[in-house]
């Protein structure tokens, strides 16, 4: 016991040494917590400037990543290759729509669009909220109900006086249900471009007219007399003159000029139908605008 007790008995110098050691340890602890021992670096002011902008750059990147392109209403009949690709359509789906439109046909509902293009239900659900069809499409049901006439006696006794379509005014056309001011102007502009209508079949060439509205037009208008316009001399007209004709686009006009140079004069409409790209279904109408001399 005495030996153990002797271990804790220190001389005056030893006690001083112990206190000095404790003081040194405590001083080191304070220095560790309160003194910055990092090595100072020479920072580039320009680098610091760019680093200060980093939070803003990161924020802009996040905004761009989360930002979705704004979609606008559009008529699906006029989807181009590029727009179809951006909307997520496959090449085959776009080609089906373009082939359908080349036949001068139009889709008038989301269901018709899917039937033509064969797009999936999921893609249709994404695209269809932005479809915008002409006003007559939305009013088609209302139009059909209008034609039924609640008073059958009136429907039977009503006598319609046919007007020459080439003499019709904008006011005459607007009276037809399904034709507004915009479409009436479009019909009159088409007449001006052609020099006059030669057949009511040409109403099918006016964009925005549904089969029902065309049928109603036929019940109110007709071509009584062929309009007086200068016919196109098919054998002497220049490439420019031919390409300006409504039914002849530049490639077809070029084919006609080539045909003339290789085989001589074109005698009749049958000769024209042999040329590549000629719209055979409109041959009878086109013939009335041409002179075969």
């Amino acid at each position: 016991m005495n030996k153990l007790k002797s271990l804790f008995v220190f001389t005056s110098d030893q006690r001083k040494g112990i206190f000095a050691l404790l003081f040194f340890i405590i001083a080191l602890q304070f220095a560790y917590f309160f003194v910055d021992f990092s090595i100072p670096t020479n920072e580039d002011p320009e680098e610091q400037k760019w680093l200060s902008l980093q939070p803003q750059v990161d924020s802009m990147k996040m905004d761009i990543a989360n930002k979705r392109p704004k979609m606008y209403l559009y008529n699906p009949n006029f989807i181009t290759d590029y727009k179809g690709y951006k909307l997520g359509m496959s090449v085959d789906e776009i080609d089906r729509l373009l082939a359908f439109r080349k036949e001068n046909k139009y889709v008038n509902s989301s269901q018709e669009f899917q039937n033509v293009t064969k797009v999936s239900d999921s893609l249709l659900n994404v695209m269809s909220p932005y479809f915008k069809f002409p006003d007559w499409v939305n009013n088609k049901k209302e139009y059909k109900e209008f034609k039924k006439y609640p008073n059958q006696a009136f429907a039977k006794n009503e006598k319609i006086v046919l007007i020459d379509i080439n003499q019709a005014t904008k006011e005459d056309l607007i009276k037809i249900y399904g034709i507004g001011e915009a479409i009436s102007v479009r019909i009159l502009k088409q007449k001006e471009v052609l020099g006059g209508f030669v057949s009511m079949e040409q109403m099918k060439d006016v964009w925005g007219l549904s089969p029902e509205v065309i049928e109603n037009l036929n019940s109110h208008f007709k071509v009584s007399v062929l309009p007086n316009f200068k016919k196109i001399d098919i054998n002497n007209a220049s490439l420019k003159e031919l390409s300006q004709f409504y039914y002849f686009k530049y490639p077809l006009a070029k084919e006609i000029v080539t045909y003339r140079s290789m085989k001589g004069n074109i005698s009749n409409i049958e000769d024209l139908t042999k040329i590549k790209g000629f719209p055979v279904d409109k041959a009878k109408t086109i013939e009335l605008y041409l002179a075969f001399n």
Side-chain angles (χ1 to χ4, degrees):
M1 187 70 180
N2 292 329
K3 290 182 178 181
L4 182 64
K5 184 177 180 182
S6 64
L7 293 175
F8 296 97
V9 176
F10 302 102
T11 65
S12 176
D13 290 338
Q14 287 175 332
R15 284 196 296 271
K16 291 179 180 178
I18 292 172
F19 283 119
L21 179 61
L22 288 174
F23 178 79
F24 181 71
I25 292 172
I26 294 171
L28 287 177
Q29 291 293 324
F30 274 97
Y32 176 78
F33 283 106
F34 296 106
V35 178
D36 184 7
F37 291 97
S38 60
I39 300 173
T41 57
N42 295 325
E43 298 179 343
D44 186 357
E46 194 66 26
E47 181 181 354
Q48 289 300 310
K49 179 180 178 182
W50 283 108
L51 288 174
S52 67
L53 295 174
Q54 190 60 43
Q56 298 179 34
V57 174
D58 293 338
S59 177
M60 292 173 65
K61 286 182 178 179
M62 290 293 293
D63 289 342
I64 293 173
N66 297 327
K67 187 176 181 181
R68 295 183 178 179
K70 187 176 181 180
M71 290 286 290
Y72 297 92
L73 298 180
Y74 61 92
N75 189 327
N77 288 290
F78 300 102
I79 291 177
T80 61
D81 286 325
Y82 178 73
K83 186 172 180 64
Y85 165 75
K86 295 291 286 184
L87 291 170
M89 295 176 66
S90 67
V91 174
D92 290 339
E93 291 166 349
I94 297 171
D95 287 345
R96 292 189 195 105
L97 177 63
L98 296 179
F100 182 78
R101 287 289 295 110
K102 281 184 179 179
E103 297 176 6
N104 203 29
K105 297 179 181 178
Y106 298 87
V107 295
N108 296 319
S109 68
S110 300
Q111 187 59 52
E112 285 184 21
F113 178 81
Q114 186 179 37
N115 293 340
V116 170
T117 60
K118 310 300 182 187
V119 297
S120 63
D121 291 339
S122 57
L123 181 56
L124 182 68
N125 290 336
V126 173
M127 297 175 64
S128 59
Y130 300 99
F131 286 175
K132 179 175 175 58
F133 297 101
D135 292 339
W136 62 261
V137 173
N138 301 322
N139 296 331
K140 187 185 294 185
K141 182 177 179 181
E142 183 180 340
Y143 165 71
K144 288 181 178 178
E145 294 175 353
F146 170 82
K147 287 189 68 177
K148 291 180 180 178
Y149 294 105
N151 187 335
Q152 294 297 324
F154 171 76
K156 291 180 181 179
N157 295 330
E158 184 188 51
K159 185 176 180 180
I160 299 175
V161 179
L162 296 179
I163 301 174
D164 191 325
I165 188 66
N166 289 304
Q167 303 299 322
T169 64
K170 183 170 75 171
E171 289 71 22
D172 294 329
L173 294 169
I174 290 178
K175 292 177 183 177
I176 305 302
Y177 192 85
I179 295 182
E181 185 171 347
I183 294 181
S184 65
V185 170
R186 200 176 300 155
I187 293 173
L188 294 175
K189 186 175 181 180
Q190 184 89 326
K191 181 185 74 173
E192 183 181 343
V193 169
L194 292 168
F197 295 114
V198 297
S199 168
M200 289 301 293
E201 285 292 312
Q202 292 174 285
M203 295 299 104
K204 295 179 181 178
D205 298 329
V206 180
W207 182 81
L209 293 181
S210 68
E212 292 84 0
V213 175
I214 292 175
E215 181 183 349
N216 208 16
L217 274 170
N218 288 330
S219 67
H220 289 80
F221 300 95
K222 65 178 180 177
V223 177
S224 303
V225 181
L226 288 179
N228 184 21
F229 52 77
K230 184 180 179 181
K231 293 189 176 184
I232 299 173
D233 187 346
I234 194 65
N235 289 305
N236 294 299
S238 66
L239 175 61
K240 181 179 179 181
E241 290 172 329
L242 290 173
S243 61
Q244 288 176 341
F245 179 45
Y246 178 79
Y247 294 104
F248 292 166
K249 304 304 179 186
Y250 181 82
L252 177 57
K254 191 174 181 180
E255 290 286 343
I256 293 173
V257 172
T258 303
Y259 183 93
R260 286 188 328 205
S261 63
M262 295 179 64
K263 298 189 177 183
N265 284 353
I266 298 171
S267 303
N268 48 49
I269 194 66
E270 284 73 24
D271 288 344
L272 277 175
T273 58
K274 299 173 186 176
I275 298 176
K276 179 183 177 182
F278 186 85
V280 179
D281 59 320
K282 301 182 187 298
K284 290 184 179 180
T285 298
I286 294 173
E287 182 180 18
L288 298 174
Y289 289 96
L290 306 178
F292 300 89
N293 297 325

